[in-house]
C-alpha cells in the first residue's frame, strides 16, 4: 500500500504551497503531516486531517477530500523550506508514510 | 516535558542482529493508553514505520519486516528496545523512536520524536 506525494514543490515567499497525498484508504483513515528539516527529527504539523498541534503556526492547514488530502502552507516563509511527509494507515491498520515532498522556497 | 533518546551501535556487520534502546522521560509505559514506536529513514529516503508497543504489551509490526523485528519494554527503566535480525546494508538508516499520539485517535501517529541514531551496516 502506498501514499503518493509529489516529489517536489517550489514556491515564492508569501505565496501558497499545496502538497497532496493520495491513497485508497485515506477515505477511511485520518491523515497526519510531518515537517522534517535536514538533520532533524520530523515534527508533527497536522493531525486528524485538519487539526494543528499547539505551537504550529496558523499558516499550516490541512484538508481532505475522498482519497486525497492536502497540506496547505499560506504566506510561505523561508523557514518553511523542508521535507513534508503524510502518514496514515493501510487497510489492516498498519502505519504508512508517504514518499515525502521537498518544499523549496525560491 | 516528553523526551526520547535512541542509543545503540552505529555500525553493525551484515547478518548481525541490531539492538536499539529508546530511553524516554515525561511519561510512563505503565500508564494506560501510552505507546512508543520505531521509525527509520535510509539516507535521502522516506520515513518507514517499523514497530509500536503499548502499555498493555500489545505489539504491532510492519508487515514487510515482521519476521525480523521484536519490540519490548522495560517499564522500570523507561525504555523500549527494538531488535532487528539478519541486518543487511539496505538497513542502513537513521532509526527514530517516537511517542504515540493520544489514545483514541486512529490510526496511530507520533507527536514526540527522538533525534534519531544513524546505523550503518557494513562489513
Amino acid at each position: 500500500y502506498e501514499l503518493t506525494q509529489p516529489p517536489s514543490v517550489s514556491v515564492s515567499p508569501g505565496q501558497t504551497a499545496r502538497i497532496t497525498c493520495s491513497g485508497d484508504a485515506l477515505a477511511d483513515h485520518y491523515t497526519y503531516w510531518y515537517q522534517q528539516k535536514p538533520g532533524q527529527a520530523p515534527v508533527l504539523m497536522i493531525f486528524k486531517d485538519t487539526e494543528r498541534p499547539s505551537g504550529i503556526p496558523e499558516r499550516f492547514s490541512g484538508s481532505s477530500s475522498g482519497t486525497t488530502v492536502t497540506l496547505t502552507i499560506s504566506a510561505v516563509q523561508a523557514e518553511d523550506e523542508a521535507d513534508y511527509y503524510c502518514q496514515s494507515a493501510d487497510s489492516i491498520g498498519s502505519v504508512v508514510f508517504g514518499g515525502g515532498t521537498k518544499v523549496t522556497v525560491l | 516535558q516528553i523526551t526520547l533518546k535512541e542509543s545503540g551501535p552505529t555500525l553493525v556487520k551484515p547478518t548481525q542482529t541490531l539492538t536499539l534502546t529508546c530511553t524516554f522521560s515525561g511519561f510512563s509505559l505503565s500508564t494506560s493508553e501510552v505507546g512508543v514506536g520505531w521509525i527509520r529513514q535510509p539516507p535521502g529516503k522516506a520515513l518507514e514505520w517499523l514497530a509500536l508497543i503499548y502499555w498493555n504489551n500489545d505489539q504491532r509490526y510492519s508487515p514487510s519486516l515482521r519476521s525480523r523485528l521484536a519490540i519490548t519494554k522495560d517499564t522500570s527503566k523507561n525504555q523500549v528496545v527494538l531488535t532487528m535480525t539478519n541486518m543487511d546494508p539496505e538497513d542502513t538508516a537513521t532509526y527514530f523512536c517516537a511517542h504515540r499520539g493520544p489514545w483514541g485517535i486512529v490510526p496511530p501517529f507520533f507527536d514526540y520524536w527522538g533525534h534519531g541514531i544513524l546505523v550503518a551496516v557494513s562489513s
Side-chain angles (χ1 to χ4, degrees), chain A residues 1-2 24-26 28-29 87-96, chain B residues 49-50 52 54 58-66 100 106-108:
Chain A
Y1 178 70
E2 293 183 347
D24 289 343
L26 293 185
D28 302 318
H29 294 302
Q87 180 240 302
S88 187
D90 62 17
S91 58
I92 63 171
S94 293
V95 173
V96 178
Chain B
W49 172 68
L50 300 176
L52 184 56
Y54 289 101
D58 183 13
Q59 299 151 28
R60 305 297 174 97
Y61 296 99
S62 164
S64 62
L65 292 168
R66 170 185 293 272
R100 193 247 197 250
V106 288

Side-chain angles (χ1 to χ4, degrees), chain A residues 12-14 37 59 75-82 84 103-106:
Chain A
S12 299
K37 296 183 178 179
R59 64 180 183 274
V76 167
Q77 301 181 7
E79 66 193 50
D80 300 332
E81 186 163 289
Y84 292 83
V103 170
T104 300
V105 181
L106 301 172

Side-chain angles (χ1 to χ4, degrees), chain A residues 40-94:
Chain A
Q40 298 184 19
V43 174
L44 179 68
M45 306 300 285
I46 297 288
F47 68 102
K48 288 176 65 177
D49 293 345
T50 61
E51 299 192 32
R52 270 189 317 276
S54 61
I56 301 303
E58 291 184 5
R59 64 180 183 274
F60 290 90
S61 63
S63 61
S64 176
S65 179
T67 58
T68 298
V69 295
T70 302
L71 173 69
T72 300
I73 313 173
S74 304
V76 167
Q77 301 181 7
E79 66 193 50
D80 300 332
E81 186 163 289
D83 294 328
Y84 292 83
Y85 293 92
C86 61
Q87 180 240 302
S88 187
D90 62 17
S91 58
I92 63 171
S94 293

